Amino acid sequence: MQADIVILAAGQGSRMKSKLPKVLHPLAGKPLVQHVIDQASTIDGAKMHIVVGHGADQVESALANQGAAFYLQSEQLGTGHAVAQAVPGLDVEGVSLILYGDVPLTPAAVLQSMVQIAARGHLALLTVVLDDPTGYGRIERNAVNDVVGIVEQKDADAEQLKITEVNTGILALPTKLMMEWLPKLSSNNAQGEYYLTDLIAMAAEARVAIHTLNPESEYEVQGVNNRRQLAELERWYQLQQANRLMDAGVSLADPTRIDVRGALSTGTDCSFDINLIIEGEVEIGSNVRIGPNCVIKDAKIGDDVEILANSHIDGATVGANAQIGPYARLRPGTELAEKTKVGNFVEIKKATVGVGSKVNHLSYIGDAQLGSDVNVGAGTITCNYDGVNKSLTEIGDNAFIGSNTSLVAPVKVGSGATVGAGSTITKEIGDNELAVARGKQRNIDTWERPTKKV
Ligand code: UD1
Ligand code: CA
């Protein structure tokens, strides 16, 4: 059965004080509305319909190529009017799930249950009991506790305002019923809007069963109206990530100082110091220790790796037992084999480094292939760019590159070769050869230091 997911995202979000439409503001590195889409996409038979208005072009281009249909609501005449815009794209035989683009953290499992209830011909409504229900639509129940309607804050009388069970805005129902009821909505209310919430009274009248579900946490149904709420939701989300990691066998120096902006998988017995930022897709093995202030993005880290403070890893693979940092920078295309060592102020880009090789201090290795057990001395750089083209540096197993060497690519250093410190290497070095390419030292014994002229 088709599950039409209608995401309302036409509102302005003026309290964000932003040129960026509210639903595109990032939470954990991803637009709010993208969280909604990603959760809803896991529902069987899901098809996305997004109602846009303010900043429609920006929202559409940010969400292009995901198979979602867009509907323009040029005037925001209410949530009922918003849903009506999407009706031409819905499957009359299916079910509809209504979501808000600014409520990012409702779990997929909750949404899936709601769709299943709707598939049985009933209406599913997500409600929550709040200490302070101010501003929300109140859930009205009859003497036997069945839901009979929703009354909005601005339309409620003193008695109704005391109700603490509120509407989250999320509901699911058979599309056929919704299509029948939407045209019957009127804007005869305090806000002069077409309220989607008026469907609830219609359902009750038609004796359609109304099931209510509740979230495990208020945050799962919390919308974002301003940047404070956005930050609050971000912290809650991050705390869930931290708890998940600790439950999976990771020690965190401080669960409030790790941010996972993407997907992180870990083995057991890892320990992460403070201020770790994870972005994109990161896979970390077992017994990995990460020092403070590291940023790791789209990377794969093997077992028993140690990453010391202030290291940045992006688009890299790090083999087991490697040691990285402090202050190392691994850029996209870096592949470090097992037992490698990359030390402080070393930058590596698009390079493979073989088993047991070491680049310990102040080096730049770009567009290079290093064999195993290579030792790269401090201050060595690959001159990989001639201003137009990038060229490759190849270094064989067991080679020893003296400190402050410039390797002018394309160039090859043979296995077991040695390069004298301070060399500028422009020609191939054969296996086991020694290359020294630097000015000869002269000592001038008649030299006199200049003295200051008066
Ligand atoms: C709505 C509900 C209320 C519920 C609350 C939960 C109605 C009438 N009221 O109230 O019962 O407690 O949400 O947060 O549904 N939107 C559009 N087009 C419109 C109007 C709204 O796309 O014409 C979108 C907004 O961008 C937003 C969502 O729908 O994402 C909710 O709109 P909002 O104005 O915040 O609804 P509330 O009045 O707060
Ligand atoms: Ca709202």
Side-chain angles (χ1 to χ4, degrees):
M1 181 182 276
Q2 185 158 316
D4 284 310
I5 317 294
V6 181
I7 301 174
L8 307 189
Q12 184 163 23
S14 48
R15 278 173 286 169
M16 295 296 282
K17 309 248 166 66
S18 174
K19 288 199 175 105
L20 188 68
K22 175 168 74 176
V23 295
L24 295 184
H25 277 260
L27 180 128
K30 187 163 87 175
L32 292 171
V33 63
Q34 189 69 56
H35 284 269
V36 181
I37 294 172
D38 290 351
Q39 291 299 312
S41 300
T42 65
I43 293 170
D44 302 328
K47 188 167 184 289
M48 299 298 150
H49 307 268
I50 305 175
V51 180
V52 292
H54 286 280
D57 292 346
Q58 262 175 292
V59 176
E60 278 189 50
S61 61
L63 304 176
N65 310 319
Q66 298 191 51
F70 294 93
Y71 307 84
L72 184 67
Q73 186 195 24
S74 32
E75 251 189 308
Q76 276 72 60
L77 302 178
T79 48
H81 179 260
V83 172
Q85 307 311 302
V87 161
L90 309 182
D91 175 9
V92 65
E93 301 302 333
V95 297
S96 291
L97 171 67
I98 315 301
L99 302 174
Y100 293 171
D102 56 5
V103 179
L105 300 181
T106 316
V110 174
L111 304 180
Q112 177 78 60
S113 317
M114 295 181 75
V115 163
Q116 278 160 0
I117 292 168
R120 298 203 302 268
H122 307 162
L123 190 147
L125 187 63
L126 192 58
T127 72
V128 62
V129 175
L130 298 178
D131 294 339
D132 178 11
T134 310
Y136 292 94
R138 309 297 206 280
I139 306 297
E140 294 191 283
R141 292 179 182 267
N142 64 16
V144 292
N145 214 33
D146 289 335
V147 174
V148 292
I150 297 178
V151 58
E152 292 303 304
Q153 165 92 20
K154 287 183 179 146
D155 299 282
D157 61 32
E159 273 313 299
Q160 291 165 323
L161 288 175
K162 287 182 192 154
I163 301 171
T164 54
E165 185 185 10
V166 305
N167 175 31
T168 65
I170 296 175
L171 78 156
L173 74 172
T175 303
K176 192 178 278 173
L177 295 177
M178 189 176 80
M179 286 179 173
E180 192 185 311
W181 295 334
L182 279 176
K184 297 185 184 161
L185 292 179
S186 100
S187 59
N188 186 15
N189 52 50
Q191 302 184 77
E193 288 184 358
Y194 295 91
Y195 291 164
L196 184 65
T197 45
D198 286 349
L199 292 192
I200 305 304
M202 294 183 193
E205 207 137 296
R207 305 207 168 278
V208 171
I210 301 170
H211 299 256
T212 53
L213 293 83
N214 306 123
E216 277 185 31
S217 156
E218 284 173 26
Y219 290 110
E220 293 179 2
V221 294
Q222 192 175 100
V224 171
N225 293 310
N226 56 46
R227 294 182 197 246
R228 289 190 190 202
Q229 288 172 340
L230 179 59
E232 200 185 326
L233 221 47
E234 174 85 37
R235 280 356 296 163
W236 181 75
Y237 175 86
Q238 293 302 346
L239 203 52
Q240 307 313 302
Q241 303 301 306
N243 289 338
R244 184 181 63 78
L245 287 170
M246 292 188 288
D247 292 345
V250 176
S251 287
L252 300 176
D254 182 351
T256 69
R257 283 186 287 175
I258 172 167
D259 281 46
V260 180
R261 301 169 189 161
L264 170 63
S265 72
T266 54
T268 54
D269 289 310
C270 294
S271 83
F272 301 163
D273 210 326
I274 59 166
N275 298 337
L276 172 60
I277 295 179
I278 298 287
E279 294 175 348
E281 280 190 31
V282 174
E283 232 179 274
I284 292 178
S286 288
N287 196 33
V288 171
R289 282 141 297 149
I290 302 179
N293 308 321
C294 291
V295 180
I296 304 180
K297 179 181 176 188
D298 296 320
K300 211 177 151 179
I301 313 293
D303 294 340
D304 304 300
V305 167
E306 184 163 26
I307 299 170
L308 299 170
N310 300 300
S311 293
H312 286 212
I313 297 177
D314 177 8
T317 305
V318 177
N321 284 294
Q323 193 185 319
I324 312 296
Y327 298 99
R329 181 170 182 217
L330 305 183
R331 292 171 50 201
T334 298
E335 288 177 34
L336 306 183
E338 291 172 26
K339 298 184 180 131
T340 43
K341 273 186 90 174
V342 174
N344 41 245
F345 305 107
V346 171
E347 175 181 352
I348 302 187
K349 180 216 86 165
K350 207 174 171 190
T352 57
V353 178
V355 178
S357 290
K358 297 183 179 124
V359 189
N360 273 341
H361 330 267
L362 301 152
S363 286
Y364 172 62
I365 303 296
D367 302 292
Q369 289 169 3
L370 277 59
S372 56
D373 294 312
V374 171
N375 194 317
V376 175
T380 294
I381 66 161
T382 53
C383 308
N384 59 325
Y385 186 51
D386 59 11
V388 187
N389 296 304
K390 301 269 168 74
S391 303
L392 186 69
T393 298
E394 291 170 81
I395 303 178
D397 298 344
N398 261 304
F400 181 95
I401 314 294
S403 296
N404 205 29
T405 293
S406 298
L407 298 160
V408 182
V411 72
K412 281 188 191 177
V413 177
S415 302
T418 303
V419 177
S423 292
T424 298
I425 301 299
T426 55
K427 288 188 304 211
E428 179 166 350
I429 308 170
D431 292 352
N432 303 311
E433 287 179 349
L434 166 68
V436 185
R438 62 181 183 227
K440 268 213 153 70
Q441 181 170 340
R442 288 192 301 152
N443 292 352
I444 300 164
D445 57 6
T446 56
W447 171 250
E448 274 174 32
R449 256 192 213 178
T451 52
K452 195 158 180 102
K453 292 193 180 100
V454 238

